[in-house]
Amino acid sequence: MKLRKLVALSLLTSLALIMFIIELRLPNLCPVAGVKLGLANIITVYCIYHFSACETGLLVLSRVILGSLFSGNMYSLMYSTAGAFACLFGMILIKRIIPEKYIWLCSIIGAVLHNTGQILVAVLVTRTFSVMSYYPILIFTGSLAGLFTGLCAKILISRADLNYFIRQ
C-alpha cells in the first residue's frame, strides 16, 4: 500500500472514530435499544466506492475495535462486528450493481444488513427469538439512518477532493 493511500485511510478512520464518539454524546433519538444514526458509516460508504474491499475492511475493523475501546463497552464488540461486517460484505456486492450516484441506496441496504447482523448475534446471545420483535423497528429506523448517511456520503463525494490521496 502506498504511503498516500495509508495516510488517507488513517485520516478517514480518525474521522469515523470522531463521528462515533460525537454520536455517543448525543441523546438517543429513539427509546428502542440499538437505534442510532450511525454517523461513522458515512465514511464506510464513501470508502466502499473509493478504496478496495480489503482496505475498507481494515478501516471498518479498526473503527469497530477502537470504537469499542473508546466507548468502554467491549461487550458491544460482538454486535458491532457482526453488524459492521454484514453491512460491509453486502455493500461490497451491491456496489457492483449500484453506481456511485445512487450511493444512498447502497447505504440503506447496508444499514438493513447491519441491523440484521446485530439481531442474529442477539438471538445467539440470548438464545431466544423474542428479540426478533425489535427487527421491524430496526429495519425502519435503519433505513432512515442509512438514507441519511448515504446522502451525507454523497455530499462528501461532491465536495471533498480526497481522490488526491488515492490517485498517487
Side-chain angles (χ1 to χ4, degrees), residues 2-156:
K2 292 188 177 183
L3 183 60
R4 286 183 188 270
K5 194 174 265 197
L6 183 62
V7 168
L9 285 167
S10 299
L11 289 171
L12 289 168
T13 303
S14 299
L15 278 172
L17 285 167
I18 290 167
M19 290 175 173
F20 175 78
I21 297 299
I22 289 171
E23 187 173 1
L24 283 177
R25 304 296 176 243
L26 296 175
N28 288 339
L29 300 173
C30 182
V32 178
V35 174
K36 59 185 221 166
L37 279 174
L39 296 176
N41 290 324
I42 295 168
I43 303 300
T44 304
V45 175
Y46 170 83
C47 289
I48 287 289
Y49 282 92
H50 291 270
F51 290 92
S52 72
C54 182
E55 292 163 344
T56 305
L58 289 173
L59 179 137
V60 169
L61 182 64
S62 300
R63 178 178 58 85
V64 166
I65 291 171
L66 291 172
S68 293
L69 286 172
F70 292 166
S71 69
N73 189 358
M74 291 304 290
Y75 184 72
S76 70
L77 187 61
M78 290 184 300
Y79 294 98
S80 298
T81 303
F85 281 95
C87 172
L88 177 67
F89 293 137
M91 287 195 303
I92 287 170
L93 295 174
I94 293 293
K95 91 167 191 182
R96 297 175 185 189
I97 302 167
I98 298 173
E100 188 177 26
K101 70 179 185 178
Y102 298 111
I103 195 170
W104 55 271
L105 184 56
C106 184
S107 181
I108 292 171
I109 294 168
V112 169
L113 291 170
H114 183 91
N115 288 331
T116 303
Q118 287 185 322
I119 281 290
L120 290 175
V121 168
V123 167
L124 292 173
V125 167
T126 62
R127 295 184 179 147
T128 178
F129 286 100
S130 64
V131 293
M132 291 296 289
S133 62
Y134 286 110
Y135 193 58
I137 297 166
L138 291 177
I139 293 301
F140 176 73
T141 57
S143 295
L144 292 177
L147 176 62
F148 176 75
T149 57
L151 292 174
C152 289
K154 188 171 181 162
I155 291 169
L156 175 67

